[in-house]
Amino acid sequence: MSTSNANAASSASHGKFYLVGGGIASLAAAAFLVRDGDVPGSNIVVFESLPRLGGSLDGSGTPEAGYVARGGRMLEAKYLCTFGLFDTIPTLDGKQSVTQEIVDWNKTMRTSSKARLMRAGIREDAPDFGLAERHIAALSLLVLEPEALVGRVRISERFDAAFFRTNFWLMWCTTFAFQPWHGAAEFRRYLLRFAHMVPGFSRLQGILRTPLNQYDSMVRPLEKWLSARGVVFVLGARVADIAFADVGGVTVPRSLTIVRAGKQTETQVEADDRVVVTLGSMTDDAILGTTDLAPVQAGGEGGGAWPLWRKIAAGRANFGRPEIFDANVAESAWVSFTATMRNPDLLDRIRTLTGNVPGEGGLVTFPDSNWLASIVVPHQPHFAGQPADVTVLWGYGLAIHRPGNAVAKPMAECTGAEILTEIAFHLGIETAVMRDTQTRCIPCAMPYITSQFLPRGADDRPSVIPPRTARLAFVGQFCEVPDDVVFTVEYSIRSAQVAAYALLGLDRAPPAVYRGMFDPRVLFKAAKALHDIGAA
């Protein structure tokens, strides 16, 4: 019996689907099961350890206490799985699909940065990449080399020190959160996947945004749609272990160990049931600080997703190697921050400095920052219910263990107020603007946020449908989806679509990953841009 046939039951409606994790991958999987497999929603159970759904696509807070978004995901037109899913999910008001809302929104609020880089308070409009011919040759060699030959090599092993001082690297690494010690294989995938965006990269042209943060614009409509169809959400429930049995050389899930409100129970997985597991988590152990308190750096023990993966992968090579991704917090951590303000002075000053209205410019990076800090001023409001007299901005730093330029402390040890003082220094404005008593700045330390970029081998991420298994699938950022790129909503949703179709035994597949690098026109425009010839 083939794996796909083993996964397919005689009737999808007769068994339960247990989804471990309530992030976008699980929610998307549930939607594909209902929409494309006619699975009754009541047959789908989602276990989430947090008190709300959405996983890393979060957004919360109040004007008084301050809003929080640990991160923000950029979209682009070639996210075919994402837009294909949300084309059938209505917005909260039911007036149109989420996809149409995003398309219409980005026609109105088109991203075009006039200050992608800012040095000493002076913006750089469409900065040159500044690549030497040897750097372009090294980039070309990397994309032409088969991924299997790249292996666990670091980016820093493929490029000289001067490459990491170029504007190209500064813009690339801060847009996508790459570090020199991250895996060259993942960097290669990004170069291939986004080749069509290189000409407009210095202005972030082609980047799409949601009208509000992704939790309010994407997660909440999807949750509402699933709830209306009877999908069962069990919140505050951590899946601590999954028991398996070997049947004729095929591994099948037998039970889930659930911990909820301090009590442990067992959920049996019957012969017609299936299990979908979100492996790992970018935001496990995330710790929030306050305006006056630094976030206590997490210890790297794993909040739930990592211990579960380690347990089920022990002795099973086909379940991947979690230790590749969760055992080196020093190389995967950074700090983000969300500032909430009633005084409009700061955003007014940033608007003048950047030449962009809120929501138009995207990421502004300070190349001279010891923290390699960047900020984003989204369109206001950015959170549902945000009052008209309240504004927010978001930012993050990649080099969190260096002392700041104005604040002589590592970013990881700074309060929200100290972070804003450092940002004021790089904007070239007086710090009094940042010290309004009604301003709240909440930093967030995330030890695993770029763990999916760490150097890896071909088998370190397991397949969505692991070989020699039945009635089991892995989804999220730490399973293997050929050709697509991690740290994107698209990757999670594509993995969910693959999992749903395979477990249902459907003879269909997600749309192919866009491969613009095989289009001579795309390559020609990218080559011109890399040489700073007629770049957008």
Side-chain angles (χ1 to χ4, degrees):
M1 178 181 293
S2 69
T3 301
S4 60
N5 288 336
N7 278 316
S10 59
S11 174
S13 63
H14 290 169
K16 292 278 191 181
F17 286 82
Y18 296 111
L19 278 55
V20 180
I24 189 63
S26 272
L27 299 181
F32 289 125
L33 291 170
V34 172
R35 189 192 74 177
D36 299 337
D38 295 323
V39 177
S42 58
N43 281 27
I44 301 171
V45 181
V46 179
F47 295 105
E48 170 53 53
S49 61
L50 298 176
R52 66 192 311 198
L53 299 170
S56 299
L57 294 187
D58 63 342
S60 61
T62 66
E64 295 75 25
Y67 290 105
V68 177
R70 290 179 293 187
R73 303 292 176 266
M74 294 174 290
L75 308 174
E76 64 103 1
K78 304 302 182 182
Y79 283 5
L80 304 180
C81 295
T82 300
F83 290 120
L85 168 63
F86 281 99
D87 195 41
T88 55
I89 305 301
T91 54
L92 288 175
D93 61 14
K95 293 182 178 179
Q96 59 188 149
S97 72
V98 171
T99 291
Q100 192 60 52
E101 179 185 58
I102 295 172
V103 170
D104 292 346
W105 175 254
N106 284 275
K107 289 178 181 177
T108 301
M109 185 57 64
R110 193 179 300 273
T111 303
S112 183
S113 173
K114 298 176 183 176
R116 179 62 186 84
L117 301 179
M118 181 174 288
R119 291 178 168 92
I122 306 300
R123 64 184 173 96
E124 299 183 16
D125 192 338
D128 287 346
F129 287 156
L131 293 166
E133 285 298 326
R134 68 182 184 278
H135 299 145
I136 297 173
L139 289 167
S140 301
L141 179 62
L142 179 60
V143 299
L144 290 171
E145 186 173 349
E147 184 176 301
L149 298 182
V150 177
R152 294 194 180 100
V153 170
R154 298 172 183 265
I155 302 171
S156 59
E157 297 178 62
R158 302 300 295 263
F159 299 90
D160 63 22
F163 172 77
F164 299 103
R165 295 191 293 270
T166 64
N167 284 343
F168 174 83
W169 174 255
L170 286 171
M171 291 186 284
W172 193 277
C173 77
T174 52
T175 299
F176 301 120
F178 273 104
Q179 301 274 24
W181 54 79
H182 285 159
E186 227 59 64
F187 182 44
R188 173 186 176 276
R189 283 201 188 187
Y190 263 74
L191 291 168
L192 292 169
R193 182 70 171 78
F194 297 117
H196 62 291
M197 301 187 72
V198 170
F201 195 66
S202 62
R203 286 201 167 192
L204 293 175
Q205 291 174 338
I207 296 295
L208 304 180
R209 304 282 184 175
T210 51
L212 300 174
N213 64 83
Q214 285 85 38
Y215 176 77
D216 285 322
S217 287
M218 300 178 79
V219 173
R220 290 179 61 204
L222 184 52
E223 178 184 0
K224 179 180 179 181
W225 188 88
L226 292 170
S227 295
R229 282 149 185 81
V231 173
V232 179
F233 299 114
V234 186
L235 302 179
R238 177 172 61 89
V239 178
D241 200 2
I242 303 174
F244 295 91
D246 290 325
V247 180
V250 175
T251 300
V252 296
R254 286 300 193 205
S255 66
L256 309 178
T257 301
I258 313 296
V259 178
R260 191 182 192 197
K263 296 181 180 179
Q264 180 171 301
T265 59
E266 301 291 325
T267 296
Q268 298 302 310
V269 180
E270 306 297 341
D272 286 338
D273 298 341
R274 302 158 192 76
V275 176
V276 179
V277 183
T278 300
L279 292 179
S281 171
M282 297 185 296
T283 49
D284 252 7
D285 282 345
I287 301 294
L288 297 179
T290 69
T291 305
D292 301 313
L293 293 174
V296 177
Q297 182 65 51
E301 294 299 320
W306 294 107
L308 175 63
W309 189 7
R310 282 181 174 268
K311 282 183 180 180
I312 66 175
R316 298 186 179 95
N318 57 333
F319 282 16
R321 298 179 179 87
E323 67 274 9
I324 294 295
F325 305 101
D326 75 340
N328 197 349
V329 166
E331 295 191 348
S332 63
W334 44 259
V335 173
S336 70
F337 59 94
T338 313
T340 305
M341 301 154 288
R342 288 195 180 272
N343 187 330
D345 288 353
L346 176 58
L347 258 62
D348 289 345
R349 294 291 296 274
I350 293 175
R351 176 175 178 170
T352 300
L353 287 168
T354 63
N356 286 121
V357 299
E360 178 189 37
L363 203 67
V364 178
T365 292
F366 307 109
D368 296 330
S369 166
N370 288 347
W371 296 347
L372 193 51
S374 302
I375 60 171
V376 176
V377 180
H379 180 269
Q380 309 293 316
H382 190 53
F383 294 85
Q386 179 183 328
D389 65 339
V390 171
T391 58
V392 301
L393 69 80
W394 180 88
Y396 84 109
L398 281 174
I400 63 173
H401 299 298
R402 299 178 191 165
N405 302 80
V407 178
K409 293 169 63 177
M411 188 181 190
E413 299 175 12
C414 284
T415 66
E418 290 169 331
I419 289 173
L420 286 184
T421 298
E422 182 76 11
I423 296 302
F425 172 81
H426 291 289
L427 287 168
I429 64 178
E430 62 272 17
T431 56
V433 174
M434 316 292 266
R435 292 177 177 169
D436 188 282
T437 56
Q438 296 185 82
T439 295
R440 301 287 182 265
C441 183
I442 301 176
C444 179
M446 294 175 285
Y448 304 107
I449 189 62
T450 56
S451 53
Q452 66 272 29
F453 284 158
L454 294 176
R456 58 162 181 84
D459 298 323
D460 294 336
R461 292 195 301 233
S463 300
V464 173
I465 304 297
R468 303 179 301 282
T469 65
R471 300 188 283 111
L472 174 69
F474 295 140
V475 296
Q477 297 293 306
F478 298 92
C479 61
E480 175 55 22
V481 179
D483 299 323
D484 219 338
V485 292
V486 292
F487 211 31
T488 62
V489 173
E490 177 75 357
Y491 197 90
S492 289
I493 293 177
R494 182 176 293 277
S495 71
Q497 197 165 11
V498 172
Y501 292 171
L503 293 178
L504 291 168
L506 300 180
D507 186 19
R508 58 188 301 182
V513 175
Y514 175 69
R515 299 168 71 82
M517 61 284 193
F518 292 122
D519 185 335
R521 296 166 297 181
V522 169
L523 292 179
F524 177 69
K525 291 178 181 178
K528 285 179 61 180
L530 291 175
H531 286 87
D532 291 320
I533 301 172

